[in-house]
């Protein structure tokens, strides 16, 4: 039984795999050592992979090193089943690495564009022969809404719940139309450019907290894989167990 921990900016996702099959998943705003210990005991976990976009939690690392036979704290030195063609691999976010491996696992032999819609939005490319080329990073939906509120004196804080017209007809709908419509257009424009470069058989996988909302607004067919990073971490763990 394998355990993966995907520590994001706002929450942690803990998943348990029996081989390649996910058998349990839980999300925590704050992952406690006691909760993690219960999961390890309940499922008889004997291998674990941990990825964090923040500073890794030393208590989690200590617990996993003590309680499981095989432990990987993902970093730029971890052996991977994909090739990283990135100029600065030591600065590459481990969430982007895990998502790339997850995409190569879900769509083997295909060029894949990964749209990870979380606190930030990343758009990354994995080639059909398993090379991570890099990609783009931009503010996510909530960051954009908060920026308009924080950096102006009179614009209210808005979220994406509600009408999103093509043309805003009051301040609230103008903000919502600008933020949501702007991000959707940004993603669609990037998809079109990458498809023109790599072929229209490009696979687009959308993941992250806002994946369902954004995917429903995209005009191109995409696949929503909510557990893409967990799948990638499990694949990295299995890869390292076999080398």
């Amino acid at each position: 039984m394998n355990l993966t921990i995907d520590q994001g900016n706002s929450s942690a996702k803990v998943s348990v795999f029996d081989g390649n099959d996910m058998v349990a998943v839980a999300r925590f705003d704050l992952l406690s050592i006691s909760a993690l210990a219960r999961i390890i005991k309940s499922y008889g976990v004997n291998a674990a992979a941990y990825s964090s976009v923040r500073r890794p939690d030393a208590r989690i690392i200590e617990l996993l090193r003590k309680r499981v036979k095989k432990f990987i704290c993902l970093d730029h030195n971890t052996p991977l089943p994909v090739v990283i063609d990135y100029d600065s691999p030591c600065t590459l976010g481990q969430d982007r690495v895990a998502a790339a491996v997850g995409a190569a696992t879900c769509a083997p032999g295909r060029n894949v564009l990964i749209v990870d819609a979380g606190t930030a939005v990343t758009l990354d490319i994995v080639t059909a022969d398993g090379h991570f080329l890099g990609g783009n990073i931009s503010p996510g939906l909530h960051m954009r809404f908060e920026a308009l509120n924080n950096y102006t004196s009179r614009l209210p804080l808005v979220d994406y719940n509600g009408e999103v017209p093509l043309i805003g007809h009051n301040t609230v709908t103008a903000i919502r139309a600008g933020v949501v419509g702007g991000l959707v257009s940004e993603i669609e424009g990037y998809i079109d450019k990458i498809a023109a470069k790599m072929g229209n058989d490009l696979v687009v996988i959308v993941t992250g907290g806002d994946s369902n909302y954004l995917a429903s607004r995209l005009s191109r067919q995409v696949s929503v894989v909510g557990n893409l990073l967990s799948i990638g971490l499990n694949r990295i763990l299995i890869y390292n167990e076999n080398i």
Side-chain angles (χ1 to χ4, degrees), residues 7-11 29-30 50-57:
Q7 175 64 67
N9 286 297
S10 57
S11 65
D29 290 335
L30 180 62
Y50 174 49
S51 169
S52 179
V53 299
R54 307 187 305 193
R55 184 182 298 276
D57 190 322

Side-chain angles (χ1 to χ4, degrees), residues 6-40:
D6 165 26
Q7 175 64 67
N9 286 297
S10 57
S11 65
K13 180 182 287 186
V14 179
S15 304
V16 179
F17 291 81
D18 184 355
N20 292 314
D21 298 325
M22 181 180 290
V23 297
V25 61
R27 186 181 293 276
F28 300 87
D29 290 335
L30 180 62
L31 177 59
S32 69
I33 298 301
S34 58
L36 182 57
R38 284 194 299 271
I39 294 171
I40 293 171

Side-chain angles (χ1 to χ4, degrees), residues 185-204:
S185 295
E186 175 185 323
I187 293 170
E188 289 184 331
Y190 195 63
I191 291 172
D192 290 343
K193 289 179 180 179
I194 296 300
K197 180 180 179 65
M198 305 188 76
N200 283 322
D201 62 341
L202 176 75
V203 174
V204 181

Side-chain angles (χ1 to χ4, degrees), residues 147-203:
L148 285 174
N149 176 245
N150 289 336
Y151 289 98
T152 64
S153 60
R154 299 183 66 182
L155 291 180
L157 179 61
V158 179
D159 61 30
Y160 60 58
N161 295 302
E163 182 188 5
V164 185
L166 178 62
I167 302 172
H169 49 79
N170 55 43
T171 300
V172 170
T173 57
I175 292 172
R176 196 178 291 125
V179 169
V180 175
L183 182 53
V184 168
S185 295
E186 175 185 323
I187 293 170
E188 289 184 331
Y190 195 63
I191 291 172
D192 290 343
K193 289 179 180 179
I194 296 300
K197 180 180 179 65
M198 305 188 76
N200 283 322
D201 62 341
L202 176 75
V203 174

Side-chain angles (χ1 to χ4, degrees), residues 107 137 143 148 155 170 216 219 224 233 238:
I137 305 173
M143 191 182 297
L148 285 174
L155 291 180
N170 55 43
S216 69
S219 58
V224 177
L233 287 172
I238 291 172

Side-chain angles (χ1 to χ4, degrees), residues 103-116:
T105 302
C106 293
R110 300 287 299 276
N111 293 319
V112 185
L113 170 61
I114 307 156
V115 181
D116 191 345

